[in-house]
mmCIF file with all atom_site columns, all heavy atoms in Angstrom:
data_model
loop_
_atom_site.group_PDB
_atom_site.id
_atom_site.type_symbol
_atom_site.label_atom_id
_atom_site.label_alt_id
_atom_site.label_comp_id
_atom_site.label_asym_id
_atom_site.label_entity_id
_atom_site.label_seq_id
_atom_site.pdbx_PDB_ins_code
_atom_site.Cartn_x
_atom_site.Cartn_y
_atom_site.Cartn_z
_atom_site.occupancy
_atom_site.B_iso_or_equiv
_atom_site.pdbx_formal_charge
_atom_site.auth_seq_id
_atom_site.auth_comp_id
_atom_site.auth_asym_id
_atom_site.auth_atom_id
_atom_site.pdbx_PDB_model_num
ATOM 1   N N   . LEU A 1 35 ? 8.379  4.561  11.696  1.00 0.00 ? 170 LEU A N   1
ATOM 2   C CA  . LEU A 1 35 ? 7.690  5.118  10.542  1.00 0.00 ? 170 LEU A CA  1
ATOM 3   C C   . LEU A 1 35 ? 7.660  6.641  10.584  1.00 0.00 ? 170 LEU A C   1
ATOM 4   O O   . LEU A 1 35 ? 7.860  7.311  9.563   1.00 0.00 ? 170 LEU A O   1
ATOM 5   C CB  . LEU A 1 35 ? 6.266  4.575  10.454  1.00 0.00 ? 170 LEU A CB  1
ATOM 6   C CG  . LEU A 1 35 ? 6.115  3.143  9.933   1.00 0.00 ? 170 LEU A CG  1
ATOM 7   C CD1 . LEU A 1 35 ? 4.667  2.684  10.041  1.00 0.00 ? 170 LEU A CD1 1
ATOM 8   C CD2 . LEU A 1 35 ? 6.581  3.045  8.488   1.00 0.00 ? 170 LEU A CD2 1
ATOM 9   N N   . ILE A 1 36 ? 7.423  7.192  11.765  1.00 0.00 ? 171 ILE A N   1
ATOM 10  C CA  . ILE A 1 36 ? 7.421  8.654  11.902  1.00 0.00 ? 171 ILE A CA  1
ATOM 11  C C   . ILE A 1 36 ? 8.801  9.214  11.583  1.00 0.00 ? 171 ILE A C   1
ATOM 12  O O   . ILE A 1 36 ? 8.935  10.217 10.855  1.00 0.00 ? 171 ILE A O   1
ATOM 13  C CB  . ILE A 1 36 ? 6.983  9.066  13.322  1.00 0.00 ? 171 ILE A CB  1
ATOM 14  C CG1 . ILE A 1 36 ? 5.503  8.757  13.537  1.00 0.00 ? 171 ILE A CG1 1
ATOM 15  C CG2 . ILE A 1 36 ? 7.243  10.557 13.550  1.00 0.00 ? 171 ILE A CG2 1
ATOM 16  C CD1 . ILE A 1 36 ? 5.011  9.019  14.938  1.00 0.00 ? 171 ILE A CD1 1
ATOM 17  N N   . ALA A 1 37 ? 9.834  8.560  12.112  1.00 0.00 ? 172 ALA A N   1
ATOM 18  C CA  . ALA A 1 37 ? 11.204 9.002  11.833  1.00 0.00 ? 172 ALA A CA  1
ATOM 19  C C   . ALA A 1 37 ? 11.503 8.923  10.333  1.00 0.00 ? 172 ALA A C   1
ATOM 20  O O   . ALA A 1 37 ? 12.120 9.826  9.753   1.00 0.00 ? 172 ALA A O   1
ATOM 21  C CB  . ALA A 1 37 ? 12.199 8.156  12.623  1.00 0.00 ? 172 ALA A CB  1
ATOM 22  N N   . LEU A 1 38 ? 11.046 7.844  9.688   1.00 0.00 ? 173 LEU A N   1
ATOM 23  C CA  . LEU A 1 38 ? 11.289 7.675  8.262   1.00 0.00 ? 173 LEU A CA  1
ATOM 24  C C   . LEU A 1 38 ? 10.555 8.739  7.449   1.00 0.00 ? 173 LEU A C   1
ATOM 25  O O   . LEU A 1 38 ? 11.140 9.334  6.522   1.00 0.00 ? 173 LEU A O   1
ATOM 26  C CB  . LEU A 1 38 ? 10.834 6.281  7.821   1.00 0.00 ? 173 LEU A CB  1
ATOM 27  C CG  . LEU A 1 38 ? 10.988 5.954  6.333   1.00 0.00 ? 173 LEU A CG  1
ATOM 28  C CD1 . LEU A 1 38 ? 12.448 6.074  5.906   1.00 0.00 ? 173 LEU A CD1 1
ATOM 29  C CD2 . LEU A 1 38 ? 10.449 4.564  6.034   1.00 0.00 ? 173 LEU A CD2 1
ATOM 30  N N   . PHE A 1 39 ? 9.306  8.998  7.785   1.00 0.00 ? 174 PHE A N   1
ATOM 31  C CA  . PHE A 1 39 ? 8.539  10.002 7.052   1.00 0.00 ? 174 PHE A CA  1
ATOM 32  C C   . PHE A 1 39 ? 9.121  11.398 7.247   1.00 0.00 ? 174 PHE A C   1
ATOM 33  O O   . PHE A 1 39 ? 9.176  12.194 6.302   1.00 0.00 ? 174 PHE A O   1
ATOM 34  C CB  . PHE A 1 39 ? 7.075  9.970  7.469   1.00 0.00 ? 174 PHE A CB  1
ATOM 35  C CG  . PHE A 1 39 ? 6.262  8.917  6.766   1.00 0.00 ? 174 PHE A CG  1
ATOM 36  C CD1 . PHE A 1 39 ? 5.976  7.714  7.381   1.00 0.00 ? 174 PHE A CD1 1
ATOM 37  C CD2 . PHE A 1 39 ? 5.808  9.110  5.473   1.00 0.00 ? 174 PHE A CD2 1
ATOM 38  C CE1 . PHE A 1 39 ? 5.250  6.730  6.738   1.00 0.00 ? 174 PHE A CE1 1
ATOM 39  C CE2 . PHE A 1 39 ? 5.080  8.134  4.810   1.00 0.00 ? 174 PHE A CE2 1
ATOM 40  C CZ  . PHE A 1 39 ? 4.785  6.942  5.448   1.00 0.00 ? 174 PHE A CZ  1
ATOM 41  N N   . LEU A 1 40 ? 9.552  11.715 8.451   1.00 0.00 ? 175 LEU A N   1
ATOM 42  C CA  . LEU A 1 40 ? 10.203 13.010 8.683   1.00 0.00 ? 175 LEU A CA  1
ATOM 43  C C   . LEU A 1 40 ? 11.491 13.116 7.883   1.00 0.00 ? 175 LEU A C   1
ATOM 44  O O   . LEU A 1 40 ? 11.802 14.166 7.305   1.00 0.00 ? 175 LEU A O   1
ATOM 45  C CB  . LEU A 1 40 ? 10.484 13.195 10.178  1.00 0.00 ? 175 LEU A CB  1
ATOM 46  C CG  . LEU A 1 40 ? 9.270  13.463 11.069  1.00 0.00 ? 175 LEU A CG  1
ATOM 47  C CD1 . LEU A 1 40 ? 9.697  13.528 12.542  1.00 0.00 ? 175 LEU A CD1 1
ATOM 48  C CD2 . LEU A 1 40 ? 8.590  14.772 10.671  1.00 0.00 ? 175 LEU A CD2 1
ATOM 49  N N   . PHE A 1 41 ? 12.236 12.013 7.855   1.00 0.00 ? 176 PHE A N   1
ATOM 50  C CA  . PHE A 1 41 ? 13.481 11.960 7.087   1.00 0.00 ? 176 PHE A CA  1
ATOM 51  C C   . PHE A 1 41 ? 13.213 12.244 5.607   1.00 0.00 ? 176 PHE A C   1
ATOM 52  O O   . PHE A 1 41 ? 13.944 13.003 4.951   1.00 0.00 ? 176 PHE A O   1
ATOM 53  C CB  . PHE A 1 41 ? 14.113 10.582 7.265   1.00 0.00 ? 176 PHE A CB  1
ATOM 54  C CG  . PHE A 1 41 ? 15.309 10.312 6.395   1.00 0.00 ? 176 PHE A CG  1
ATOM 55  C CD1 . PHE A 1 41 ? 16.505 10.966 6.603   1.00 0.00 ? 176 PHE A CD1 1
ATOM 56  C CD2 . PHE A 1 41 ? 15.226 9.387  5.357   1.00 0.00 ? 176 PHE A CD2 1
ATOM 57  C CE1 . PHE A 1 41 ? 17.613 10.718 5.805   1.00 0.00 ? 176 PHE A CE1 1
ATOM 58  C CE2 . PHE A 1 41 ? 16.323 9.121  4.553   1.00 0.00 ? 176 PHE A CE2 1
ATOM 59  C CZ  . PHE A 1 41 ? 17.518 9.796  4.775   1.00 0.00 ? 176 PHE A CZ  1
ATOM 60  N N   . ILE A 1 42 ? 12.131 11.660 5.081   1.00 0.00 ? 177 ILE A N   1
ATOM 61  C CA  . ILE A 1 42 ? 11.794 11.843 3.667   1.00 0.00 ? 177 ILE A CA  1
ATOM 62  C C   . ILE A 1 42 ? 11.268 13.249 3.401   1.00 0.00 ? 177 ILE A C   1
ATOM 63  O O   . ILE A 1 42 ? 11.680 13.916 2.439   1.00 0.00 ? 177 ILE A O   1
ATOM 64  C CB  . ILE A 1 42 ? 10.762 10.789 3.234   1.00 0.00 ? 177 ILE A CB  1
ATOM 65  C CG1 . ILE A 1 42 ? 11.381 9.390  3.291   1.00 0.00 ? 177 ILE A CG1 1
ATOM 66  C CG2 . ILE A 1 42 ? 10.242 11.082 1.825   1.00 0.00 ? 177 ILE A CG2 1
ATOM 67  C CD1 . ILE A 1 42 ? 10.381 8.270  3.094   1.00 0.00 ? 177 ILE A CD1 1
ATOM 68  N N   . VAL A 1 43 ? 10.351 13.720 4.255   1.00 0.00 ? 178 VAL A N   1
ATOM 69  C CA  . VAL A 1 43 ? 9.741  15.032 4.043   1.00 0.00 ? 178 VAL A CA  1
ATOM 70  C C   . VAL A 1 43 ? 10.778 16.150 4.135   1.00 0.00 ? 178 VAL A C   1
ATOM 71  O O   . VAL A 1 43 ? 10.853 17.029 3.265   1.00 0.00 ? 178 VAL A O   1
ATOM 72  C CB  . VAL A 1 43 ? 8.605  15.269 5.067   1.00 0.00 ? 178 VAL A CB  1
ATOM 73  C CG1 . VAL A 1 43 ? 8.124  16.717 4.999   1.00 0.00 ? 178 VAL A CG1 1
ATOM 74  C CG2 . VAL A 1 43 ? 7.453  14.314 4.795   1.00 0.00 ? 178 VAL A CG2 1
ATOM 75  N N   . ILE A 1 44 ? 11.592 16.116 5.186   1.00 0.00 ? 179 ILE A N   1
ATOM 76  C CA  . ILE A 1 44 ? 12.612 17.156 5.351   1.00 0.00 ? 179 ILE A CA  1
ATOM 77  C C   . ILE A 1 44 ? 13.685 17.029 4.270   1.00 0.00 ? 179 ILE A C   1
ATOM 78  O O   . ILE A 1 44 ? 14.156 18.023 3.722   1.00 0.00 ? 179 ILE A O   1
ATOM 79  C CB  . ILE A 1 44 ? 13.246 17.070 6.756   1.00 0.00 ? 179 ILE A CB  1
ATOM 80  C CG1 . ILE A 1 44 ? 12.183 17.352 7.830   1.00 0.00 ? 179 ILE A CG1 1
ATOM 81  C CG2 . ILE A 1 44 ? 14.404 18.048 6.889   1.00 0.00 ? 179 ILE A CG2 1
ATOM 82  C CD1 . ILE A 1 44 ? 12.677 17.163 9.248   1.00 0.00 ? 179 ILE A CD1 1
ATOM 83  N N   . GLY A 1 45 ? 14.050 15.782 3.957   1.00 0.00 ? 180 GLY A N   1
ATOM 84  C CA  . GLY A 1 45 ? 15.096 15.563 2.967   1.00 0.00 ? 180 GLY A CA  1
ATOM 85  C C   . GLY A 1 45 ? 14.723 16.023 1.574   1.00 0.00 ? 180 GLY A C   1
ATOM 86  O O   . GLY A 1 45 ? 15.611 16.330 0.758   1.00 0.00 ? 180 GLY A O   1
ATOM 87  N N   . GLN A 1 46 ? 13.411 16.106 1.277   1.00 0.00 ? 181 GLN A N   1
ATOM 88  C CA  . GLN A 1 46 ? 12.986 16.538 -0.049  1.00 0.00 ? 181 GLN A CA  1
ATOM 89  C C   . GLN A 1 46 ? 13.480 17.941 -0.406  1.00 0.00 ? 181 GLN A C   1
ATOM 90  O O   . GLN A 1 46 ? 13.665 18.260 -1.578  1.00 0.00 ? 181 GLN A O   1
ATOM 91  C CB  . GLN A 1 46 ? 11.459 16.506 -0.143  1.00 0.00 ? 181 GLN A CB  1
ATOM 92  C CG  . GLN A 1 46 ? 10.865 15.127 -0.280  1.00 0.00 ? 181 GLN A CG  1
ATOM 93  C CD  . GLN A 1 46 ? 11.379 14.402 -1.506  1.00 0.00 ? 181 GLN A CD  1
ATOM 94  O OE1 . GLN A 1 46 ? 11.321 14.895 -2.618  1.00 0.00 ? 181 GLN A OE1 1
ATOM 95  N NE2 . GLN A 1 46 ? 11.891 13.202 -1.294  1.00 0.00 ? 181 GLN A NE2 1
ATOM 96  N N   . PHE A 1 47 ? 13.681 18.763 0.615   1.00 0.00 ? 182 PHE A N   1
ATOM 97  C CA  . PHE A 1 47 ? 14.138 20.135 0.364   1.00 0.00 ? 182 PHE A CA  1
ATOM 98  C C   . PHE A 1 47 ? 15.584 20.175 -0.130  1.00 0.00 ? 182 PHE A C   1
ATOM 99  O O   . PHE A 1 47 ? 16.031 21.196 -0.665  1.00 0.00 ? 182 PHE A O   1
ATOM 100 C CB  . PHE A 1 47 ? 14.001 20.969 1.640   1.00 0.00 ? 182 PHE A CB  1
ATOM 101 C CG  . PHE A 1 47 ? 12.578 21.181 2.072   1.00 0.00 ? 182 PHE A CG  1
ATOM 102 C CD1 . PHE A 1 47 ? 12.030 20.439 3.108   1.00 0.00 ? 182 PHE A CD1 1
ATOM 103 C CD2 . PHE A 1 47 ? 11.769 22.110 1.425   1.00 0.00 ? 182 PHE A CD2 1
ATOM 104 C CE1 . PHE A 1 47 ? 10.722 20.627 3.512   1.00 0.00 ? 182 PHE A CE1 1
ATOM 105 C CE2 . PHE A 1 47 ? 10.457 22.305 1.816   1.00 0.00 ? 182 PHE A CE2 1
ATOM 106 C CZ  . PHE A 1 47 ? 9.929  21.565 2.853   1.00 0.00 ? 182 PHE A CZ  1
ATOM 107 N N   . PHE A 1 48 ? 16.305 19.080 0.034   1.00 0.00 ? 183 PHE A N   1
ATOM 108 C CA  . PHE A 1 48 ? 17.718 19.048 -0.354  1.00 0.00 ? 183 PHE A CA  1
ATOM 109 C C   . PHE A 1 48 ? 17.970 18.183 -1.587  1.00 0.00 ? 183 PHE A C   1
ATOM 110 O O   . PHE A 1 48 ? 19.097 18.101 -2.059  1.00 0.00 ? 183 PHE A O   1
ATOM 111 C CB  . PHE A 1 48 ? 18.563 18.511 0.808   1.00 0.00 ? 183 PHE A CB  1
ATOM 112 C CG  . PHE A 1 48 ? 18.413 19.297 2.077   1.00 0.00 ? 183 PHE A CG  1
ATOM 113 C CD1 . PHE A 1 48 ? 17.503 18.894 3.057   1.00 0.00 ? 183 PHE A CD1 1
ATOM 114 C CD2 . PHE A 1 48 ? 19.144 20.447 2.292   1.00 0.00 ? 183 PHE A CD2 1
ATOM 115 C CE1 . PHE A 1 48 ? 17.352 19.612 4.230   1.00 0.00 ? 183 PHE A CE1 1
ATOM 116 C CE2 . PHE A 1 48 ? 19.003 21.176 3.463   1.00 0.00 ? 183 PHE A CE2 1
ATOM 117 C CZ  . PHE A 1 48 ? 18.103 20.759 4.437   1.00 0.00 ? 183 PHE A CZ  1
ATOM 118 N N   . VAL A 1 49 ? 16.911 17.547 -2.101  1.00 0.00 ? 184 VAL A N   1
ATOM 119 C CA  . VAL A 1 49 ? 17.064 16.677 -3.257  1.00 0.00 ? 184 VAL A CA  1
ATOM 120 C C   . VAL A 1 49 ? 17.005 17.498 -4.542  1.00 0.00 ? 184 VAL A C   1
ATOM 121 O O   . VAL A 1 49 ? 16.006 18.173 -4.801  1.00 0.00 ? 184 VAL A O   1
ATOM 122 C CB  . VAL A 1 49 ? 15.964 15.594 -3.288  1.00 0.00 ? 184 VAL A CB  1
ATOM 123 C CG1 . VAL A 1 49 ? 16.077 14.743 -4.538  1.00 0.00 ? 184 VAL A CG1 1
ATOM 124 C CG2 . VAL A 1 49 ? 16.046 14.714 -2.046  1.00 0.00 ? 184 VAL A CG2 1
ATOM 125 N N   . PRO A 1 50 ? 18.049 17.470 -5.364  1.00 0.00 ? 185 PRO A N   1
ATOM 126 C CA  . PRO A 1 50 ? 18.017 18.213 -6.632  1.00 0.00 ? 185 PRO A CA  1
ATOM 127 C C   . PRO A 1 50 ? 16.997 17.615 -7.594  1.00 0.00 ? 185 PRO A C   1
ATOM 128 O O   . PRO A 1 50 ? 16.741 16.408 -7.571  1.00 0.00 ? 185 PRO A O   1
ATOM 129 C CB  . PRO A 1 50 ? 19.448 18.071 -7.168  1.00 0.00 ? 185 PRO A CB  1
ATOM 130 C CG  . PRO A 1 50 ? 19.990 16.859 -6.503  1.00 0.00 ? 185 PRO A CG  1
ATOM 131 C CD  . PRO A 1 50 ? 19.337 16.774 -5.159  1.00 0.00 ? 185 PRO A CD  1
ATOM 132 N N   . SER A 1 51 ? 16.405 18.448 -8.432  1.00 0.00 ? 186 SER A N   1
ATOM 133 C CA  . SER A 1 51 ? 15.349 18.001 -9.338  1.00 0.00 ? 186 SER A CA  1
ATOM 134 C C   . SER A 1 51 ? 15.849 17.011 -10.390 1.00 0.00 ? 186 SER A C   1
ATOM 135 O O   . SER A 1 51 ? 15.079 16.230 -10.928 1.00 0.00 ? 186 SER A O   1
ATOM 136 C CB  . SER A 1 51 ? 14.712 19.211 -10.036 1.00 0.00 ? 186 SER A CB  1
ATOM 137 O OG  . SER A 1 51 ? 15.700 19.947 -10.750 1.00 0.00 ? 186 SER A OG  1
ATOM 138 N N   . ASN A 1 52 ? 17.153 17.056 -10.681 1.00 0.00 ? 187 ASN A N   1
ATOM 139 C CA  . ASN A 1 52 ? 17.705 16.183 -11.729 1.00 0.00 ? 187 ASN A CA  1
ATOM 140 C C   . ASN A 1 52 ? 18.421 14.962 -11.165 1.00 0.00 ? 187 ASN A C   1
ATOM 141 O O   . ASN A 1 52 ? 19.242 14.355 -11.846 1.00 0.00 ? 187 ASN A O   1
ATOM 142 C CB  . ASN A 1 52 ? 18.677 16.972 -12.600 1.00 0.00 ? 187 ASN A CB  1
ATOM 143 C CG  . ASN A 1 52 ? 19.925 17.405 -11.833 1.00 0.00 ? 187 ASN A CG  1
ATOM 144 O OD1 . ASN A 1 52 ? 19.870 17.561 -10.605 1.00 0.00 ? 187 ASN A OD1 1
ATOM 145 N ND2 . ASN A 1 52 ? 21.027 17.598 -12.529 1.00 0.00 ? 187 ASN A ND2 1
ATOM 146 N N   . ILE A 1 53 ? 18.100 14.583 -9.921  1.00 0.00 ? 188 ILE A N   1
ATOM 147 C CA  . ILE A 1 53 ? 18.856 13.500 -9.283  1.00 0.00 ? 188 ILE A CA  1
ATOM 148 C C   . ILE A 1 53 ? 18.676 12.171 -10.017 1.00 0.00 ? 188 ILE A C   1
ATOM 149 O O   . ILE A 1 53 ? 19.584 11.338 -10.041 1.00 0.00 ? 188 ILE A O   1
ATOM 150 C CB  . ILE A 1 53 ? 18.446 13.356 -7.797  1.00 0.00 ? 188 ILE A CB  1
ATOM 151 C CG1 . ILE A 1 53 ? 19.457 12.457 -7.074  1.00 0.00 ? 188 ILE A CG1 1
ATOM 152 C CG2 . ILE A 1 53 ? 17.027 12.816 -7.662  1.00 0.00 ? 188 ILE A CG2 1
ATOM 153 C CD1 . ILE A 1 53 ? 19.344 12.510 -5.581  1.00 0.00 ? 188 ILE A CD1 1
ATOM 154 N N   . GLY A 1 54 ? 17.548 11.982 -10.673 1.00 0.00 ? 189 GLY A N   1
ATOM 155 C CA  . GLY A 1 54 ? 17.322 10.731 -11.391 1.00 0.00 ? 189 GLY A CA  1
ATOM 156 C C   . GLY A 1 54 ? 18.088 10.634 -12.694 1.00 0.00 ? 189 GLY A C   1
ATOM 157 O O   . GLY A 1 54 ? 18.341 9.531  -13.196 1.00 0.00 ? 189 GLY A O   1
#
Side-chain angles (χ1 to χ4, degrees):
L170 284 174
I171 291 175
L173 178 59
F174 277 100
L175 288 176
F176 172 70
I177 294 171
V178 171
I179 296 175
Q181 285 301 307
F182 294 102
F183 303 95
V184 177
S186 58
N187 66 334
I188 193 166

